[in-house]
Amino acid sequence: MSGEAQATAVARGLVVAIDGPSGSGKSSVSRAVARRLGTAYLDTGAMYRAATWWCLEERVDLTDQAAVAAAVDVMPLVMGIDPAAPSVHVDGTDVGEAIRTTEISTAVSAVATNLAVRAELRRLQRAIIAAESSASSTEDAGTSFSGGRGIVAEGRDITTVVAPDADVRILLTASEEARLARRSLEVHGAADAAAVEATKDQVLRRDRDDSTVSQFHVAADGVVTVDSSDLDFEQTIQAVLDVVEQVMATAATTPDAGSGGEGPAR
């Protein structure tokens, strides 16, 4: 992304929303993009994992939707939004590693598909996005990690429900084969047939369950699709940065253009 375009984007309190299915690389790519842009980074999926950890820690029956919602409503969650060192703390405990365990991955859908939980976490997500994108250069900037420069937020329904008015909205996707291989490498350290098979249920079941409450397989109007099936990590980062630059350049020359305008599919 050119220095001029980046400076313009940052001055406006840029909001980039990135959605996509499991294993598409949206977390690692979004974090890298945030570092390049000098903005905050929000992993909304980690919030659902943290909520799951909290409910299990509090011995809440995950099948009791009302009890789960009540527990999440009072969850003392603090999201660290520095892309260089994102963190998740619940009740003062660093749960960054704990929420990535197989136990949480297996249980998270029960919490993430709870509509009351989604409503509460979306409220928190919107508050964080607003703080990072609209803080002034005076008092409010002091309470904002980015000083109001902006944020890259990623996760389920971020482009359609949480931040439909984001400046740039991207659906990061990849073929099922590529997604399974990536998640297998992440979880098992290998992408051979056995490792992929061991990961398959977790990835595909999570997508199937989550698709009952959010849409993340097909780009909504105004959302740009970036297909990373044949791209490596660095190429995917650049593809996303290219979309940010293109969308922001179009917005700069079209005053009446809506946020998150159409862009070229990849």
Side-chain angles (χ1 to χ4, degrees):
M1 187 173 189
S2 69
E4 181 179 354
Q6 179 174 337
T8 300
V10 170
R12 295 179 178 181
L14 176 68
V15 177
V16 178
I18 300 180
D19 206 339
S22 298
S24 62
K26 60 183 179 295
S27 293
S28 54
V29 170
S30 297
R31 182 178 171 185
V33 167
R35 294 186 70 174
R36 303 280 179 92
L37 293 174
T39 67
Y41 160 69
L42 178 62
D43 177 356
T44 63
M47 297 174 75
Y48 288 99
R49 287 175 172 271
T52 304
W53 180 90
W54 173 247
C55 287
L56 294 176
E57 186 75 3
E58 294 294 295
R59 301 183 183 281
V60 176
D61 180 357
L62 298 188
T63 64
D64 185 339
Q65 294 199 346
V68 169
V72 173
D73 191 51
V74 298
M75 173 178 58
L77 173 67
V78 177
M79 296 296 295
I81 53 179
D82 179 350
S87 61
V88 185
H89 287 80
V90 179
D91 199 19
T93 300
D94 183 346
V95 298
E97 292 187 9
I99 63 174
R100 303 298 175 182
T101 63
T102 299
E103 178 187 17
I104 298 300
S105 295
T106 301
V108 67
S109 284
V111 175
T113 54
N114 184 311
L115 296 182
V117 168
R118 297 191 73 81
E120 172 59 14
L121 294 187
R122 285 169 179 163
R123 183 187 67 79
L124 296 176
Q125 291 157 15
R126 291 185 183 113
I128 294 171
I129 292 171
E132 295 303 318
S133 60
S134 60
S136 68
S137 58
T138 55
E139 293 182 5
D140 292 340
T143 62
S144 160
F145 167 79
S146 69
R149 291 190 302 274
I151 189 168
V152 176
E154 57 92 356
R156 297 284 199 251
D157 67 18
I158 196 79
T159 62
T160 55
V161 180
V162 178
D165 56 349
D167 299 288
V168 183
R169 296 182 295 151
I170 295 172
L171 177 71
L172 182 60
T173 189
S175 66
E176 181 178 302
E177 180 181 28
R179 293 190 293 113
L180 286 173
R182 290 169 185 169
R183 185 53 59 86
S184 180
L185 277 172
E186 177 186 335
V187 176
H188 302 290
D192 55 31
V196 169
E197 187 61 32
T199 310
K200 190 172 184 178
D201 176 68
Q202 182 186 117
V203 172
L204 300 185
R205 180 172 52 79
R206 174 78 193 278
D207 280 352
R208 184 180 64 249
D209 290 347
D210 285 2
S211 67
T212 64
V213 291
S214 65
Q215 175 57 259
F216 50 86
H217 288 293
V218 179
D221 289 345
V223 178
V224 181
T225 298
V226 173
D227 189 331
S228 66
S229 299
D230 300 317
L231 303 179
D232 62 23
F233 183 59
E234 186 59 37
Q235 290 171 331
T236 305
I237 294 169
Q238 190 56 53
V240 171
L241 289 171
D242 287 347
V243 171
V244 173
E245 182 167 31
Q246 291 163 8
V247 171
M248 296 309 293
T250 298
T253 58
T254 312
D256 294 331
S259 61
E262 293 282 2
R266 294 177 182 269

